[in-house]
Amino acid sequence: MKNLLIIKGHPREKSFCNALTNRYVEGAQANGADIRTLNLPELALEPWLKYDWSHNHTSLPNSPDLDRSKELVSWCDHMVFAYPVYWAGAPALVKLFLEMVITAHFTFKYKQPFLGKIPRWNRLLKGRTASLLVTMDAPPVFMNLVDRDPGGKMMRDILRFTGVKLLKRHYFGSVILSSQAKKDRWLKKAYDSGVREAR
C-alpha cells in the first residue's frame, strides 16, 4: 500500500482545482492508498515570510504546522501538489510551504565541496516521488510551447534538490473557457490518475 500526501495549494476551497484533487483522491483510495492531506490555506504560514536565513535555517520559526508538515513529508511515498497557475508558476502559498519545509538537515545536508569550490549535498528525501495537479486559464499547449512551463520546471528543480523525483505533470486548461462536458472528462482523468499513481 502506497502512502500519498496531498498538498492542496488553491486558496479557495470551492474551486475546480480542488474538485479535481478530490477525484484524484477517490481514485487513489479505490486502489488502496493510505492518504493524508495538507491544506495550505489552513496553515499559519505568515511567520515564514520574513525569517532570518543567516544561520542556515536554525532561525526558522517552529510551530505545530511545521512539525506536522515534516512528519507527513517523511511518512509519504508520493506527494501530489495541487494548485492553480498564477503568473506562469505556483501560487505564493505553495512556494512558501516549500521554503518552510525544505530546510537543512531535514531534506538536504551539505557535505565536503568538490575541489573545495563546487557545492555537494545529500538528498535526504531520495526514494520519494511527486506529481503536479495544476489548473490554468491558458491552454496547456500555450504553457508548454510559448512559456516553456517555467512553473513546472521550478517545481521539478526544487524537488530534485531534495531527492524527490517529479514523475508527472497533470495540466488542465483552459478552465475558464471549458464546457461542463470537458470538465467532466478532466474529472475522470484525475480519478484515473489517482488509481495509477496509487500502485
Side-chain angles (χ1 to χ4, degrees), residues 18-114:
N18 281 342
L20 288 166
T21 305
N22 293 339
R23 289 294 286 156
Y24 179 100
V25 167
E26 290 170 10
Q29 287 174 331
N31 208 11
D34 190 0
I35 298 174
R36 302 287 184 273
T37 301
L38 283 171
N39 191 12
L40 301 190
E42 295 178 355
L43 304 186
L45 298 180
E46 289 80 5
W48 289 275
L49 282 170
K50 296 182 180 181
Y51 69 88
D52 179 7
W53 283 72
S54 62
H55 303 296
N56 198 22
H57 299 168
T58 58
S59 63
L60 191 71
N62 199 9
S63 77
D65 283 342
L66 176 59
D67 292 342
R68 175 164 169 73
S69 296
K70 287 186 173 182
E71 175 187 327
L72 290 176
V73 168
S74 296
W75 165 84
C76 76
D77 303 306
H78 182 75
M79 288 175 270
V80 180
F81 291 86
Y83 58 84
V85 168
Y86 282 3
W87 303 113
L93 273 176
V94 175
K95 185 65 163 56
L96 187 55
F97 171 79
L98 291 169
E99 289 185 15
M100 176 183 83
V101 171
I102 297 180
T103 55
H105 308 291
F106 174 63
T107 61
F108 70 94
K109 185 177 182 180
Y110 284 118
K111 56 186 179 180
Q112 187 69 29
F114 182 68

Side-chain angles (χ1 to χ4, degrees), residues 166-182:
L166 181 59
L167 294 180
K168 186 69 177 176
R169 309 174 199 183
H170 304 286
Y171 290 160
F172 300 90
S174 161
V175 172
I176 197 170
L177 298 177
S178 62
S179 65
Q180 187 58 51
K182 181 172 284 190

